[in-house]
Amino acid sequence: MKRISALLLSLSAVCCLLLSLALAVLLGAAPVHAASGAPEATVPVASGCLAAAPSKQQVAVGQPAHIVITVSCYPAIPSPIVIVDWGDGSLSKYPVCAAACPVPPVELVAAHSYAKAGTYQPLICLSGEGPITPLPECVSVEVIVVPLTPQPLS
């Protein structure tokens, strides 16, 4: 009887270990790159499955900034989407898969116009929609917005 108890105890310990390992692999499938939100914080321009270009650009107030986002693989997330937090309170969502997921790499072009001059660090994240998704994978770029130069009258 003692042997059966010891065997069951060790078997349950092995099962717990395997379950924790499986959960760690499933929940940690996508590498995480988070920014602290402070202007000094830097997030890579490229990571495991996500890249953004150009890393730095300058536009005038009211003129669109364009970011080319490349999704090179799909982490284990349902309904992958790219979310861009432009740094001025605006968010944009871009679904990666419409009717079906295309074969990676997938390129998306995000565009946004800023109303005020300043330096912005849009945060681009590959995430999923649904109640249970792993932490998003994120990258950041820099957009410098300068005042619009008045044109002389002819």
Side-chain angles (χ1 to χ4, degrees), residues 6 10-11 13-14 17 30 34 45-47 49 68 77 79 103-104 107 110 126 134 138:
S10 61
L11 184 60
V14 169
L17 180 63
V45 176
S47 64
C49 291
V68 177
I77 54 177
S79 305
V103 175
E107 280 194 357
L126 177 61
C138 300

Side-chain angles (χ1 to χ4, degrees), residues 4 7 12 15 21 43 60 73 84 117-119 136 138 141:
I4 293 174
L7 181 62
S12 65
C15 287
L21 181 62
V43 178
C73 59
V84 181
T119 300
C138 300
V141 296

